[in-house]
Amino acid sequence: MRRLSALFSKTLRDDPADAELASHRLLVRAGYIRRVAPGIFTWLPLGLDVLRRIEAVVREEMEAIGGQEVLFPALVPKEHYATTGRWETYGESLFRLRDRRGGDYLLAPTHEELFTNLVKGEASSYKDLPLILFQIQTKYRDEARPRAGVLRGREFLMKDSYSFDLDDEGLAGSYRRHREAYQRTFERLGLDYRIVSAVSGAMGGSASEEFLAPSDGGEDTYVSCPSCGYAANIEAAETAVPAASDPGDHPPIQILETPDAPTIATLLAAVRAAGIDVGASATLKNVAFTLHHPDGRTDGRTGGRTETLVVGIPGDRDVDLRRLEANVGGATVQPADLDGDDAPAGLVKGYIGPQGLGAEVRYVVDPLVVTGSEWVTGANQPGRHAAHVVMGRDFHPSGVLPAAEVRAGDPCARCGTGLELARGIEIGHIFQLGRKYTDAFALDVLGPDGKPQRVTMGSYGIGVSRAVAAIAEQSHDDKGLLWPAAVAPADVHVVAVGKGDQMAVATRLAEELEAAGRRVLFDDRGASPGVAFKDAELLGVPMILVVGKGLAGGVVEVRDRRAGTAAEVPVGEAVAFLAGGGGGPIR
Ligand code: ATP
Ligand code: MG
């Protein structure tokens, strides 16, 4: 039993100055976590308790699908990450360090390389597969924007698992088992979640889905279709696109003088004056970016390749930089500088058109720009635009990249219904990696026919420490935290209001509850009712048992924090009441 009189962590009256999200505010105020540095936190007793309970659920569900637990170090040599190029491509998010002998090390942000290399040394036959290994381990990422307490840390606890299979069918099975294990895990944790299609990004590989906890405080935006159930991270979202048509069937290009048309509205007015009456969605906006591709060199020097990318999107939309960045294969994306000395040749600021761009820039379009579509766009000359510019006739993009913002109401690619947009917190991510890592390490096993066969892999993560914040974000009210029973630091918060009889009876009830298997947090401080109730609400234990004034009449009060209800119960029945249904709702 935990007694508040002796509990190391204390509640705080004031919100931490830097906390924008309720979960962050409440976890600090309730004494669950304390900040050490940006994105680096200490777990205090109650916080550690919640963390460990989440960890236990994750572990159970991983073991239930046959996962075997291992534990890798966080501090690892560069070698294996050099083999895959990630020493370089992971960029500034990687904590790199050097030992006394000058050897390069890193604090691992994820462990694909080490797992692949371990399995290469241990597994030799198809009989060793399928294999699921997992760990619950501290990861390090030098996040650009650590945020919201443990929600986005630079040091954080992750469950990462890796599946090894002989063929694609086996991988699909391991992936499905993980997906189901994650569903069970998040249900048990009391998290509301959505499964959305994701971009595989820097991990490489093919199929990938994210588990998002819907929350306005989340950093991910996702679309969902209220009609067919399609759901995707906005980075991977597909919307219905116009049908392609015959590019031959249009008037010839017409050059328009548009000297004072810096905005879409002034442009449309100038175009209208020339007798062409179109809306903003018929203009093609061409936005120039500088892409830096880390090249995966293994000598530790920063190298890489830089290119200019111009993206064409309908003029009534903005570029969604995250969407673009998620789809350029790990390159970093910056707006191109069109004014400086190094400005790419041929790009006239404000008047870029896709027709006749030089080979030194790569021109791509958003999926909304299709063959046969006709546009008003820049003429690649100062003060001039061009009308009747047709894709497939006047310009031929080298590719298609999702770059335009997706808006609520855009039609679903599958069924045409207007999509809904919402925000969420990424709590889990599952990937079918395929052979990217097994190729890098030449991980083969002998197949049934005695011939070596390349193994195929999946990788799967759950943000264990992030889940603490995600649960808190979804489960709180203005008074404090409201833990789901499965993760709460106690089942019952017993409060003695007053030091005499109340304290004696409360002590006895607390002991009996513990004997009945309930975990008790006992407020034995004899604090004033105001202070005691405020703390109980802040700490967020789901059931509160108050031994107070009613004791004279033989009753105690049981409050259900989550249901927001309270009931008077005869003293003699309190333990049975609370020990029965795990503190079920009070009617
Ligand atoms: P994000 O997009 O939020 O940066 P990610 O896609 O880079 O996350 P993964 O590499 O997929 O993260 O890691 C697996 C899981 O680890 C994530 O789904 C998330 O729950 C958790 N996680 C990732 N980064 C952090 C972090 N900085 N702090 C806490 N948890 C994290
Ligand atoms: Mg992810």
Side-chain angles (χ1 to χ4, degrees):
M1 175 188 323
R2 271 207 178 95
R3 290 169 178 270
L4 278 191
S5 63
L7 185 66
F8 169 65
S9 48
K10 302 282 179 273
T11 57
L12 307 178
R13 207 180 300 263
D14 296 317
D15 288 334
D18 58 338
E20 27 162 326
L21 290 195
S23 57
H24 184 190
R25 261 193 326 265
L26 293 170
L27 288 170
V28 172
R29 273 189 49 210
Y32 284 71
I33 56 170
R34 287 288 179 265
R35 179 183 179 278
V36 173
I40 304 179
F41 285 81
T42 302
W43 295 90
L44 301 189
L46 296 180
L48 189 58
D49 220 278
V50 174
L51 184 71
R52 293 276 185 256
R53 296 180 73 73
I54 294 173
E55 204 181 309
V57 170
V58 170
R59 178 174 287 114
E60 264 179 45
E61 294 299 341
M62 285 310 300
E63 287 177 345
I65 59 165
Q68 301 179 58
E69 187 167 2
V70 297
L71 184 60
F72 276 91
L75 177 64
V76 295
K78 165 185 164 183
E79 166 188 7
H80 301 309
Y81 291 76
T83 300
T84 58
R86 283 211 289 189
W87 172 261
E88 184 78 14
T89 58
Y90 222 93
E92 293 191 317
S93 298
L94 195 64
F95 277 106
R96 300 174 178 84
L97 59 162
R98 196 153 271 173
D99 74 1
R100 63 171 74 208
R101 293 187 177 78
D104 284 317
Y105 283 76
L106 62 125
L107 297 174
T110 172
H111 278 77
E112 279 76 8
E113 283 82 350
L114 290 154
F115 272 84
T116 312
N117 190 62
L118 176 75
V119 171
K120 183 180 166 71
E122 306 288 330
S124 54
S125 150
Y126 71 95
K127 292 180 192 147
D128 297 323
L129 307 183
L131 178 65
I132 295 176
L133 296 175
F134 76 99
Q135 63 174 345
I136 297 176
Q137 191 256 8
T138 306
K139 299 275 184 276
Y140 295 85
R141 296 182 185 179
D142 196 358
E143 298 278 357
R145 279 172 295 279
R147 178 176 168 265
V150 294
L151 197 68
R152 179 175 296 285
R154 295 197 295 163
E155 173 180 295
F156 59 97
L157 194 64
M158 194 202 289
K159 183 288 297 177
D160 47 328
S161 49
Y162 305 85
S163 65
F164 299 86
D165 282 278
L166 207 57
D167 52 29
D168 295 351
E169 216 179 309
L171 170 57
S174 295
Y175 183 87
R176 184 175 39 77
R177 274 188 285 283
H178 271 89
R179 197 176 192 271
E180 289 164 3
Y182 278 32
Q183 290 175 291
R184 285 190 292 269
T185 301
F186 295 130
E187 259 150 46
R188 285 180 63 184
L189 296 180
L191 274 163
D192 176 25
Y193 68 91
R194 305 280 182 278
I195 304 178
V196 306
S197 307
V199 179
S200 304
M203 289 283 188
S206 47
S208 139
E209 288 169 298
E210 287 168 352
F211 288 72
L212 299 184
S215 162
D216 290 338
E219 285 181 281
D220 283 271
T221 305
Y222 65 97
V223 302
S224 56
C225 176
S227 163
C228 75
Y230 171 71
N233 192 304
I234 196 127
E235 296 169 349
E238 291 174 15
T239 60
V241 298
S245 60
D246 180 0
D249 213 9
H250 295 267
I253 289 189
Q254 185 183 345
I255 304 294
L256 309 170
E257 299 294 331
T258 53
D260 298 311
T263 67
I264 290 276
T266 49
L267 170 64
L268 290 178
V271 170
R272 209 172 298 125
I276 299 168
D277 196 5
V278 294
S281 62
T283 63
L284 184 66
K285 183 153 80 180
N286 301 289
V287 191
F289 296 96
T290 303
L291 261 55
H292 184 79
H293 299 270
D295 65 357
R297 270 152 49 158
T298 56
D299 59 7
R301 283 181 290 137
T302 39
R305 186 167 60 85
T306 295
E307 71 166 337
T308 302
L309 178 80
V310 177
V311 189
I313 65 168
D316 61 336
R317 289 178 192 254
D318 287 327
V319 169
D320 181 336
L321 204 55
R322 279 186 63 174
R323 203 162 130 80
L324 177 62
E325 200 154 30
N327 288 286
V328 292
T332 56
V333 180
Q334 282 173 319
D337 178 7
L338 299 183
D339 295 317
D341 294 342
D342 301 335
L347 297 184
V348 184
K349 192 178 173 185
Y351 298 95
I352 302 174
Q355 65 286 11
L357 281 181
E360 57 278 8
V361 304
R362 176 155 69 106
Y363 185 76
V364 297
V365 291
D366 183 81
L368 290 172
V369 181
V370 298
T371 297
S373 56
E374 181 188 312
W375 306 92
V376 170
T377 190
N380 296 315
Q381 298 164 19
R384 289 194 174 135
H385 279 81
H388 311 304
V389 178
V390 179
M391 171 146 147
R393 182 188 74 178
D394 306 315
F395 68 98
H396 304 271
S398 68
V400 177
L401 271 184
E405 58 174 336
V406 173
R407 297 187 196 135
D410 280 350
C412 172
R414 294 198 189 154
C415 73
T417 307
L419 292 170
E420 294 172 355
L421 244 61
R423 291 179 81 85
I425 299 165
E426 185 188 320
I427 46 177
H429 199 163
I430 52 179
F431 282 100
Q432 291 193 27
L433 287 174
R435 298 186 172 79
K436 176 175 161 142
Y437 293 90
T438 55
D439 278 346
F441 290 93
L443 169 54
D444 297 331
V445 293
L446 291 183
D449 57 0
K451 293 194 184 124
Q453 209 163 314
R454 188 64 33 105
V455 172
T456 182
M457 249 179 103
S459 121
Y460 318 87
I462 289 181
V464 176
S465 51
R466 176 176 286 183
V468 176
I471 294 169
E473 199 54 41
Q474 281 189 346
S475 278
H476 70 267
D477 62 14
D478 50 359
K479 300 193 185 86
L481 298 157
L482 287 168
W483 295 112
V487 304
D491 299 314
V492 187
H493 184 123
V494 177
V495 181
V497 176
K499 300 202 174 180
D501 276 359
Q502 285 96 339
M503 186 65 75
V505 171
T507 305
R508 179 169 57 77
L509 292 178
E511 281 164 359
E512 287 176 15
L513 279 168
E514 285 255 313
R518 312 310 289 161
R519 293 167 309 128
V520 172
L521 186 61
F522 183 22
D523 187 350
D524 60 341
R525 296 172 301 175
S528 74
V531 169
F533 295 158
K534 254 208 170 81
D535 276 352
E537 284 161 344
L538 178 59
L539 289 171
V541 173
M543 302 301 286
I544 302 172
L545 171 62
V546 183
V547 184
K549 286 201 301 284
L551 192 62
V555 294
V556 291
E557 193 191 2
V558 179
R559 298 184 183 176
D560 184 329
R561 261 298 265 142
R562 292 179 65 81
T565 52
E568 295 208 315
V569 178
V571 183
E573 291 170 25
V575 172
F577 186 92
L578 284 162
I586 299 166
R587 269 169 286 275

